[in-house]
Amino acid sequence: MRVLGIDPGLTRCGVGIVDVQADRRATLVDVTVIRTPPGMALEERLLAVGNGIERLLDQHLPAVVAIERVFAQHNLRTVMGTAQVSGVALHSAAKRGLPVALHTPSEVKAAITGYGSADKRQVQAMVARILGLAEAPKPADAADALAIAICHAWRGGPVAADAGGATDTALTPAQQAWRAAERSSRTSAVPRRLAR
């Protein structure tokens, strides 16, 4: 399965593409960072990031797009830019009919290192090791985008399972736990929706 991972950011947007086999072996396809200068008008920055993402989507034809989920930060300006870039990425994927998965930073860290509070250096080292690279791609946004893509493939989400034919028994214990939690949250959400 080919996954395009995005670490959204307005100044630096990391984009990494990996091919992941059913046995979890991952191969680097491409990685880059789309940059925009802070002095540029917001709409022009978003256009530049969107054009860069669309170019990579059309060039590499991923099966799914995985994006780091925006979470609350103390710096409102940073979180707004991240959210805006996430929206541009969601739009680009939807235009192409691609499924999108959102993963929190702790999900990504846990999938890559086995520890949800791992630091950036640990994640970067594991990304390099998983992909068989001499060193992690730089800057950190590039390695983070690859980690997001690998996380999605390894989590065994619905798209990954359908594409690779994996069943719950073919998943690791962590993937089975994630799958069970996802089912549980979907089941418990149904009555609330019907009650409205």
Side-chain angles (χ1 to χ4, degrees), residues 2-188:
R2 178 163 290 183
V3 184
L4 184 142
I6 298 175
D7 179 31
L10 200 49
T11 301
R12 291 183 315 274
C13 178
V15 184
I17 302 101
V18 294
D19 284 339
V20 182
Q21 308 304 316
D23 64 2
R24 294 168 51 105
R25 280 182 300 145
T27 307
L28 174 65
V29 175
D30 196 3
V31 64
T32 190
V33 174
I34 302 166
R35 299 171 189 267
T36 64
M40 182 185 280
L42 175 61
E43 65 275 15
E44 293 298 323
R45 296 179 82 184
L46 292 172
L47 179 64
V49 172
N51 287 342
I53 290 171
E54 291 192 355
R55 192 169 36 256
L56 291 163
L57 287 169
D58 293 341
Q59 179 181 351
H60 296 294
L61 304 172
V64 62
V65 175
I67 305 171
E68 185 173 273
R69 184 183 295 275
V70 177
F71 61 99
Q73 294 179 354
H74 297 296
N75 186 338
L76 182 61
R77 202 167 163 174
T78 300
V79 79
M80 285 299 295
T82 302
Q84 290 164 331
V85 169
S86 294
V88 168
L90 288 163
H91 179 263
S92 298
K95 269 175 45 177
R96 288 157 180 76
L98 293 171
V100 177
L102 301 173
H103 300 287
T104 65
S106 56
E107 278 180 302
V108 174
K109 291 173 183 178
I112 299 300
T113 69
Y115 179 55
S117 296
D119 65 31
K120 279 198 176 285
R121 275 190 305 226
Q122 290 170 310
V123 172
Q124 291 167 8
M126 283 305 296
V127 164
R129 184 173 174 190
I130 290 163
L131 295 174
L133 306 174
E135 61 181 17
K138 292 188 174 51
D141 312 87
D144 289 348
L146 292 169
I148 293 159
I150 295 166
C151 167
H152 178 75
W154 282 10
R155 282 194 66 215
V159 174
D162 292 345
T167 62
D168 279 359
T169 56
L171 303 174
T172 67
Q175 290 171 328
Q176 290 175 29
W178 275 318
R179 177 76 53 86
E182 285 174 342
R183 279 194 210 113
S184 173
S185 66
R186 281 195 296 264
T187 306
S188 64

